Amino acid sequence: MSDSLNHKDKLTIAVVGSGPSGFYATEALLKNFPNTSVNIIEKLPVPFGLVRFGVAPDHPKLKQVIMVYNRIAENPNVNFFGNVELDKDITIEELQRTHHAVILCYGARSDRDLNIPGTSLKGYHSAREFVAWYNGDPEAQHHKFDFSHKNAVIIGQGNVAADVCRILTKSVDELKKTDITTQAIEQLSESKIRNIHIIGRRGPAQAKFSSKEIRELGELSNCSNFIEQQSYVIDDIDKNQLSAPAFADIAKCVSIFKDFGYKKDSKKQHSIEYKFLLSPIKICGDSKIESITFMRNRLTDNRKAEPTGDTITIDCGLCFSSIGYRGQAINNIPFDDVKGTIINDKGRVINKQGTVITGLYTSGWIKRGPSGIIGTNRADSVETIETLVKDIETLKQKTIEENAFINILKAKKCRYISYEDWKKIDDIEIKNGSIIGKSREKITDIDKMLSIANK
Amino acid sequence: MAHIVTNKCQRCRFTHCVEVCPVACFHGDEERLYIDADTCIDCSACIEVCPVRAIYDQYDMPEEYQTCIAINSKALDFPVIDTKHEPLPTAMERKKELGY
Ligand SMILES: Cc1cc2nc3c(=O)[nH]c(=O)nc-3n(C[C@H](O)[C@H](O)[C@H](O)COP(=O)(O)OP(=O)(O)OC[C@H]3O[C@@H](n4cnc5c(N)ncnc54)[C@H](O)[C@@H]3O)c2cc1C
């Protein structure tokens, strides 16, 4: 395939978003067409998306994936344009006009709504806001979290909820060498939170944790993990499912839950209590959150939650809803409002009637929804680029003026950040971290990032 | 601790794993795949996609596969495999044999 284009019909392709899916789309493009020039457009001055602003600071090994992204970025045909936001600094029409194809990999930067009364009370947040805050996302630094009450509730039983649990229960000593922001460490060190309730809508066999994340919670040095006995139900349908190979990891989770047992070890400073089969119906309080009322559920035969009519109320001063990130629509790009994804067929963007939008593609969380880990996005981007390869003859028909894209940015006086600029920021972050014994101290202010790049 | 391709990976080479590996840590010969432990970042993406569940996190790998750790340490003797290939002709038969 790599010989199908010669120099004179060199393609210029835009990739929007520099998270995993954007980098893997770039990798797959260059594998197929080594001469392609790829412009990666990223709204922040810094790359890597949720690898930087999602993946937990105490999981440094995963962040080594950045070395792979550095290698991709070092290809002379790849140009990074940080600090350029699609739909703000540049429109989709401008990108389409200046590129043979545009691949939308801009991820999911909003939240699925809980849709119950009380979510405007102080003390209610999405887990995404908290994660982005402790990971130094410039757009999340304004959030104020109240750690003064001993009880916190996390609604949702997936890996993001598990990350939040670890950050809330680990000691300063356990976090101080990571790249969590110093501001977060300082505030967390004053935290009075002792008991975390982690709530699932369905049963233990439907929890979304990976066994590894649960195991890690079980290994926390100063934290007692236990199960609410009343809601721990594994029925025959569950048992049957759990024996299937596809459920191997969930079966592992269930066996870890069993090992946790029903009793709290009160010698430990913190506790995490797993409660199942509960749906929140109301968050209560005057101006601040004081408690949350839940409906107890039972499961139907096809494993849907249905209300039993019994309720339970949990006192707390802080609540994180961790029921999923959500993708956002961008002007003039066909969007599925229910799923929060760009409408597409194997990566080819199509409109609501199913008509293909020539030259527009998508990959990653904004293509398939906010699930799957870093590597999932690689296979996903491979699929999208396989689709693009099929369309290549059509894409080549378009004539594009040289430097058309950069000229638009220049005309708009947009201060874009190159990969070399980012490396300057990267160096300073590592240096600032090493002074205080941390792997990195992230810069959380966009103006500061830009001023380092300008030096 | 890294992830290990056990001897279940033999005569099938489905290679679903290499496509989801974010760091290209798989190497392979004609018969099977190996993980380069120094490159693997323990993300576990490969575990679920393997049609014969041949890959384990070393942490919860059954005793019987302990010898596979040494076998994987030869990974660098073989080329990196980072794109999906057609499975071997014996793949479906092998999958059945393993009970999947
Ligand atoms: C809290 C959390 C923890 C996680 N932990 C793990 C883990 O331990 N292991 C693992 O393998 N996976 C983990 N993941 C999953 C992993 O982070 C995702 O699968 C992956 O980041 C999704 O990649 P993406 O490229 O689709 O989106 P993203 O990573 O979100 O990248 C999207 C990029 O697009 C940019 N962008 C957004 N809008 C625009 C715009 N308008 N113009 C230009 N650019 C834009 C964003 O700034 C961002 O850089 C975790 C996710 C979360 C949320």
Side-chain angles (χ1 to χ4, degrees):
Chain A
M1 206 33 95
S2 45
D3 296 327
S4 67
L5 283 182
N6 56 33
H7 268 295
K8 73 173 167 24
D9 37 31
K10 179 170 166 157
L11 293 177
T12 305
I13 294 184
V15 168
V16 180
S18 67
S21 61
F23 272 102
Y24 294 123
T26 305
E27 178 194 38
L29 274 169
L30 291 166
K31 201 165 241 164
N32 283 284
F33 311 115
N35 287 325
T36 308
S37 140
V38 183
N39 293 326
I40 301 181
I41 289 124
E42 166 57 54
K43 80 169 182 184
L44 291 169
V46 295
F48 312 137
L50 287 173
V51 171
R52 180 175 161 110
F53 296 121
V55 172
D58 58 343
H59 284 167
K61 196 166 185 189
L62 282 167
K63 301 199 189 203
Q64 289 175 16
V65 72
I66 286 172
M67 293 197 289
V68 173
Y69 305 152
N70 281 335
R71 279 203 296 276
I72 295 169
E74 275 158 20
N75 184 313
N77 284 337
V78 175
N79 297 298
F80 179 74
F81 294 91
N83 202 36
V84 180
E85 180 171 351
L86 170 59
D87 223 20
K88 191 172 140 240
D89 302 304
I90 194 136
T91 64
I92 186 67
E93 290 79 14
E94 286 167 325
L95 281 185
Q96 286 174 297
R97 185 154 32 89
T98 52
H99 295 86
H100 291 96
V102 179
I103 307 169
L104 301 160
C105 307
Y106 65 82
R109 300 276 281 180
S110 145
D111 301 297
R112 247 184 79 195
D113 277 341
L114 209 48
N115 268 327
I116 56 167
T119 51
S120 57
L121 290 173
K122 261 195 209 144
Y124 171 84
H125 303 270
S126 70
R128 185 187 58 86
E129 291 166 347
F130 182 55
V131 166
W133 173 75
Y134 66 64
N135 276 322
D137 185 336
E139 291 172 354
Q141 297 309 302
H142 62 284
H143 293 299
K144 299 263 174 294
F145 301 98
D146 179 356
F147 303 118
S148 66
H149 192 288
K150 68 181 194 316
N151 295 340
V153 166
I154 302 175
I155 299 171
Q157 295 187 326
N159 291 338
V160 176
D163 284 354
V164 169
C165 269
R166 285 199 319 284
I167 300 301
L168 289 174
T169 53
K170 279 195 169 178
S171 66
V172 169
D173 274 348
E174 289 168 295
L175 295 173
K176 69 181 182 195
K177 291 187 178 149
T178 71
D179 68 359
I180 189 170
T181 63
T182 292
Q183 174 182 235
I185 296 192
E186 280 166 0
Q187 293 192 25
L188 286 166
S189 71
E190 309 271 301
S191 166
K192 301 278 183 295
I193 294 173
R194 292 297 172 261
N195 312 310
I196 299 174
H197 301 265
I198 182 162
I199 313 284
R201 195 163 52 90
R202 299 192 289 159
Q206 288 78 35
K208 297 272 185 233
F209 300 114
S210 70
S211 64
K212 205 175 184 169
E213 291 262 356
I214 287 296
R215 198 172 79 206
E216 222 181 321
L217 290 175
E219 287 164 356
L220 288 169
S221 59
N222 211 355
C223 183
S224 162
N225 285 270
F226 68 107
I227 307 287
E228 188 201 35
Q229 184 160 11
Q230 178 181 358
S231 64
Y232 185 80
V233 181
I234 299 274
D235 63 14
D236 287 342
I237 301 176
D238 286 333
K239 278 187 197 145
N240 207 3
Q241 277 185 353
L242 290 173
S243 59
F247 285 77
D249 199 67
I250 304 167
K252 256 186 238 169
C253 286
V254 167
S255 99
I256 298 171
F257 289 145
K258 254 186 237 147
D259 290 344
F260 285 164
Y262 302 131
K263 271 221 196 77
K264 173 170 161 178
D265 174 357
S266 39
K267 291 193 290 294
K268 303 258 168 104
Q269 193 179 14
H270 294 277
S271 73
I272 301 173
E273 180 176 0
Y274 301 77
K275 287 183 156 88
F276 303 96
L277 293 162
L278 293 176
S279 290
I281 47 179
K282 181 167 73 176
I283 301 178
C284 316
D286 277 337
S287 62
K288 264 180 75 198
I289 165 170
E290 287 162 24
S291 68
I292 307 174
T293 302
F294 295 87
M295 171 64 67
R296 286 214 186 264
N297 296 328
R298 68 171 87 84
L299 290 186
T300 63
D301 284 355
N302 51 6
R303 307 289 86 173
K304 288 220 167 72
E306 68 178 15
T308 61
D310 287 346
T311 60
I312 160 184
T313 295
I314 302 173
D315 291 340
C316 64
L318 184 64
C319 171
F320 292 116
S321 83
S322 186
I323 57 166
Y325 285 43
R326 195 174 196 287
Q328 280 171 313
I330 281 188
N331 276 319
N332 298 328
I333 297 173
F335 199 73
D336 181 333
D337 281 316
V338 179
K339 290 196 212 147
T341 53
I342 294 173
I343 307 175
N344 74 93
D345 177 21
K346 295 197 164 64
R348 210 181 260 129
V349 178
I350 54 178
N351 67 17
K352 291 203 165 99
Q353 291 72 44
T355 313
V356 171
I357 320 260
T358 307
L360 205 54
Y361 302 85
T362 181
S363 180
W365 275 19
I366 196 61
K367 170 188 176 188
R368 44 170 225 281
S371 69
I373 54 180
I374 297 169
T376 319
N377 302 294
R378 187 166 182 268
D380 198 26
S381 289
V382 166
E383 180 189 75
T384 294
I385 302 308
E386 274 171 3
T387 303
L388 182 147
V389 167
K390 291 189 187 129
D391 300 343
I392 196 71
E393 291 309 323
T394 315
L395 299 178
K396 281 195 314 197
Q397 301 302 314
K398 196 162 166 184
T399 36
I400 280 161
E401 281 169 51
E402 213 167 316
N403 296 328
F405 171 62
I406 287 214
N407 290 340
I408 291 186
L409 292 183
K410 284 185 178 152
K412 293 187 175 196
K413 300 206 161 49
C414 175
R415 171 48 171 125
Y416 55 84
I417 295 288
S418 68
Y419 216 72
E420 290 71 46
D421 291 332
W422 147 244
K423 284 290 186 188
K424 290 190 212 164
I425 301 170
D426 188 34
D427 283 347
I428 302 253
E429 287 188 344
I430 293 172
K431 202 169 109 213
N432 289 350
S434 77
I435 298 168
I436 48 175
K438 293 172 83 226
S439 60
R440 169 189 301 274
E441 183 63 42
K442 286 179 190 162
I443 293 162
T444 59
D445 180 79
I446 291 188
D447 288 333
K448 218 164 168 182
M449 291 173 176
L450 297 180
S451 83
I452 294 170
N454 284 334
K455 271 189 196 136
Chain B
M1 244 195 255
H3 283 51
I4 302 291
V5 188
T6 65
N7 294 345
K8 276 160 99 178
C9 178
Q10 196 71 243
R11 291 185 288 119
C12 38
R13 273 189 48 136
F14 283 105
T15 60
H16 294 59
C17 51
V18 308
E19 197 166 57
V20 296
C21 178
V23 292
C25 73
F26 284 91
H27 294 244
D29 60 19
E30 300 299 306
E31 282 265 295
R32 58 166 289 163
L33 298 166
Y34 308 81
I35 285 176
D36 166 23
D38 291 334
T39 305
C40 171
I41 57 171
D42 282 339
C43 77
S44 301
C46 52
I47 293 181
E48 276 188 38
V49 298
C50 176
V52 298
R53 300 237 150 215
I55 308 168
Y56 288 87
D57 184 338
Q58 209 173 315
Y59 181 94
D60 46 21
M61 184 172 67
E63 222 10 73
E64 60 185 296
Y65 298 123
Q66 289 303 322
T67 51
C68 301
I69 299 174
I71 296 173
N72 277 256
S73 70
K74 291 190 301 194
L76 295 181
D77 294 349
F78 310 105
V80 169
I81 312 279
D82 65 355
T83 43
K84 208 162 143 193
H85 292 278
E86 276 299 305
L88 295 175
T90 45
M92 292 319 282
E93 183 195 318
R94 171 68 174 159
K95 187 174 165 205
K96 230 174 162 178
E97 183 186 312
L98 290 168
Y100 294 102

